[in-house]
Amino acid sequence: MSKTTKIIIAIILILVLLAGGYFAWRKWGGSTGAVEDAIYMQKVSDLTSYSFSVDRYSGVVEAQKTQGYKCDPQRTVEEIYVAVGDEVKIGTPLFRYDVRTAENSIESIKLDIEGLSNEIEVLRSGGNSTEIQLQISERELEIRQKQAELERHQQEIDQAEVLSTIDGVVKAVSQEIGKDSNGGDLPVVAVTETGEFRVKGKVSEQTIGSISPGMEVIIRSRVDENTTWAGKIGSIETEPASQNNNGYYEESGEKSSVYPFYVQLDTTEGLMLGQHVFIEPDYGQSEIEIKEGIWLDMSFIAYDDAGNPFVWSAERGKTVKVPVELGEIDENTYTIQILSGLTEDSLITWPDETLEEGMKAIDISEVWE
C-alpha cells in the first residue's frame, strides 16, 4: 500500500469520525446546552478541509561538511594526487606518504632478527644451563619486539595512501605545513561533500527515536509552506549539542538535550545559506492533491422523487433542502464536487428519514465552544 493511499484512508476515517460525532449529537443531544429535537449541523469548511499532522523540526541551511585530511606529524608527504576542483569518491587516493624510511627500517630489522636467531642457535648448541636458557629467552624477547616494530613499519607502507572518506570536491590543497585561524594544523587536502548546501536540524532526546539515517524528509519554507525541497537524513550526532550553543530547550517545563542531524538535499535550487526552514518526515503528504472548490463525502447527497440531488442544510436556524449542482466524482476519496448550492459557511448534516424541513438547526461548533 502506497504512502498516499494510507493517507487518503486516514483522511476518510477522520471525516467519518467527525460526521459520526455530530450525527450522535444530532440524534441524542449533548449534556451541555442540548436542545430537544434539534438537528446539529456542521460547516462545510470543517468537512472539506483537513490537515495531515506530522512532526516538525527546525532547521537551517548551511554549507556542506568539509573534511580535512592532515599529515601525520611523524611522517612526510611524498606526493599529492589531487588538485583544487577535482571530484573525488569514497576511496579515491588523495596523497601518499614517503615510505623510504619505513622500507629501510624493515630491511634493518630483518637483519637484526636474523642475527638474533643465529645467536639463539649458537646458545642452544652450548648446553642447557640456566644461564644459557636465560640468554635465549632474552634474545627471543628481542625478536618479538623487533617483529612488532617490523609490523608497524609494514603498516605504514600498506597505508601509505590517504583515501577520501566522502564523495565531494577538493576545496584546498596545502604543500606546506601551516596553522589555521584556530591554531590547528592545516590539512594537506580538504574535501567538501557533494552538494552546495545541506540542512542542519535539531531533535530533542524525547523524539530522537522517531528519525533515522536514510529517512526521506521534506524541507518546507517558513515563508511559503507550499515551497518544498526533498532530501534524506544523512547522519544524526550521538552527542548532544553544547549548552553554550543552545544545546537544550524547554519541553513540558523541563530542559531537554537536543541532538543535531543533517539532511542531504536532492536539489538546492532556491535555497539560501543561513535560511531557516522546517524539516518533516515524508509520509507522502506532499503527494496529496488539494482540490479547488467544495468536495463533499458522497453520503451527504440525497435525491428527491424526481432524482434531483439536494443536501440538508439550514436557513435562519431551520432545516431546509438545498438543491445542489454536482460535478466530478473522486473514487479514491469517495467525494463529489459541488458546483453550486453551497458555500464554505453552509451548515449541513447527513440525510435520513427522520429529517423534515422546518426543524430547529444548531451549529455544533457553538455547542462545543
Side-chain angles (χ1 to χ4, degrees):
M1 186 182 294
S2 69
K3 291 187 290 186
T4 304
T5 302
K6 291 178 181 178
I7 294 171
I8 289 173
I9 292 173
I11 293 168
I12 293 173
L13 288 174
I14 291 170
L15 291 176
V16 169
L17 289 172
L18 284 172
Y22 77 75
F23 177 75
W25 268 98
R26 188 189 76 186
K27 188 171 181 65
W28 294 293
S31 59
T32 305
V35 179
E36 188 111 12
D37 298 327
I39 304 302
Y40 292 89
M41 296 192 173
Q42 195 162 356
K43 282 187 178 181
V44 168
S45 59
D46 293 336
L47 294 167
T48 57
S49 63
Y50 58 85
S51 61
F52 187 74
S53 178
V54 296
D55 291 331
R56 275 188 173 179
Y57 310 99
S58 60
V60 63
V61 179
E62 65 174 28
Q64 285 284 4
K65 171 186 176 183
T66 297
Q67 179 68 52
Y69 299 88
K70 298 180 180 180
C71 177
D72 184 332
Q74 304 300 320
R75 308 179 72 178
T76 303
V77 175
E78 179 183 61
E79 182 180 2
I80 298 176
Y81 298 135
V82 295
V84 173
D86 287 352
E87 293 187 6
V88 297
K89 300 291 185 182
I90 295 175
T92 299
L94 302 176
F95 60 90
R96 177 183 176 84
Y97 287 114
D98 186 341
V99 296
R100 286 172 294 183
T101 299
E103 290 172 340
N104 292 336
S105 296
I106 286 176
E107 292 303 317
S108 176
I109 292 170
K110 286 180 178 179
L111 291 174
D112 291 342
I113 292 175
E114 184 178 353
L116 290 166
S117 298
N118 291 335
E119 288 182 30
I120 291 173
E121 291 300 320
V122 171
L123 288 169
R124 283 175 177 167
S125 65
N128 195 30
S129 67
T130 302
E131 184 179 350
I132 289 176
Q133 290 303 315
L134 179 59
Q135 291 178 8
I136 290 173
S137 296
E138 290 174 348
R139 302 301 189 277
E140 288 175 339
L141 177 59
E142 287 186 62
I143 288 176
R144 289 195 294 272
Q145 291 172 338
K146 293 289 184 181
Q147 286 173 334
E149 190 177 352
L150 186 149
E151 290 175 2
R152 180 173 59 81
H153 288 301
Q154 185 60 53
Q155 189 177 45
E156 289 181 15
I157 295 172
D158 294 340
Q159 299 177 356
E161 289 187 334
V162 175
L163 310 179
S164 177
T165 56
I166 60 175
D167 295 339
V169 177
V170 177
K171 288 298 183 183
V173 173
S174 177
Q175 298 282 356
E176 300 178 359
I177 297 176
K179 302 290 183 181
D180 59 23
S181 58
N182 296 321
D185 293 332
L186 285 173
V188 178
V189 175
V191 178
T192 298
E193 282 186 308
T194 302
E196 186 178 357
F197 298 131
R198 66 177 179 177
V199 175
K200 179 180 180 180
K202 291 181 179 179
V203 59
S204 73
E205 59 186 322
Q206 283 83 3
T207 57
I208 192 171
S210 63
I211 63 173
S212 59
M215 175 183 283
E216 296 182 356
V217 297
I218 295 172
I219 307 301
R220 197 176 296 277
S221 168
R222 286 176 178 258
V223 178
D224 179 7
E225 292 209 354
N226 293 319
T227 301
T228 61
W229 296 264
K232 290 183 179 180
I233 294 178
S235 62
I236 305 170
E237 293 189 9
T238 57
E239 294 294 329
S242 168
Q243 291 189 2
N244 293 332
N245 293 320
N246 298 323
Y248 61 87
Y249 61 90
E250 297 289 336
E251 185 171 294
S252 301
E254 298 181 359
K255 287 183 177 179
S256 172
S257 296
V258 295
Y259 295 79
F261 66 94
Y262 302 92
V263 176
Q264 301 299 325
L265 300 165
D266 294 347
T267 177
T268 61
E269 184 177 356
L271 284 171
M272 297 182 296
L273 190 65
Q275 179 178 345
H276 289 267
V277 294
F278 292 119
I279 306 168
E280 57 188 54
D282 185 1
Y283 298 120
Q285 60 270 32
S286 60
E287 301 173 19
I288 299 175
E289 179 184 1
I290 306 300
K291 303 183 185 71
E292 296 292 333
I294 296 174
W295 290 75
L296 280 181
D297 187 293
M298 286 192 284
S299 60
F300 282 102
I301 309 301
Y303 296 86
D304 61 20
D305 293 338
N308 299 313
F310 69 91
V311 172
W312 281 101
S313 186
E315 290 181 4
R316 292 184 292 277
K318 301 293 183 180
T319 57
V320 293
K321 293 180 179 179
V322 175
V324 291
E325 181 183 359
L326 304 180
E328 300 178 19
I329 294 176
D330 186 335
E331 297 288 352
N332 291 323
T333 58
Y334 196 67
T335 55
I336 190 166
Q337 185 181 25
I338 307 299
L339 298 178
S340 64
L342 295 175
T343 69
E344 295 285 344
D345 293 327
S346 297
L347 294 173
I348 63 172
T349 190
W350 270 346
D352 69 40
E353 66 279 0
T354 64
L355 287 172
E356 297 178 0
E357 288 193 298
M359 299 176 72
K360 186 174 182 63
I362 297 177
D363 183 348
I364 197 171
S365 65
E366 296 179 358
V367 178
W368 283 344
E369 288 178 354

